[in-house]
Amino acid sequence: MAQWIPTIRIIQMILSLSVVGFILLQARGAGLGSAFGGSSAGSVFKTRRGVERLIFNITIVFIVLFAVISVLSSAIHQ
């Protein structure tokens, strides 16, 4: 199983970059004011639809895959 470690590391790197990319795609225009407790009149919670929902679900899948591969890598390495 030790021969798979380089391949698993590459998969981990690809997944981590993909997760970062998908999280950045989800960034909303919340503005700096809301980070410090300010609120605007347009801040209403809404459901995700279309591409936004697809990106959200793909992000979850990639995070789970990254976690599983990280645990597998750790188990193989020991």
Side-chain angles (χ1 to χ4, degrees):
M1 287 298 276
Q3 72 268 15
W4 290 100
I5 290 178
T7 305
I8 290 174
R9 301 287 179 183
I10 291 171
I11 292 171
Q12 272 183 312
M13 285 186 262
I14 292 170
L15 283 173
S16 67
L17 292 173
S18 299
V19 167
V20 168
F22 281 118
I23 287 174
L24 289 175
L25 283 174
Q26 293 181 40
R28 296 181 184 251
L32 191 59
S34 65
F36 296 109
S39 64
S40 63
S43 63
V44 176
F45 292 106
K46 59 181 181 177
T47 59
R48 293 179 171 91
R49 297 174 189 226
V51 175
E52 187 176 303
R53 185 174 185 177
L54 178 67
I55 290 173
F56 179 74
N57 289 335
I58 289 173
T59 304
I60 291 173
V61 169
F62 279 11
I63 289 171
V64 169
L65 282 173
F66 180 77
V68 167
I69 290 191
S70 295
V71 169
L72 179 69
S73 172
S74 176
I76 290 174
H77 195 54
Q78 290 180 350

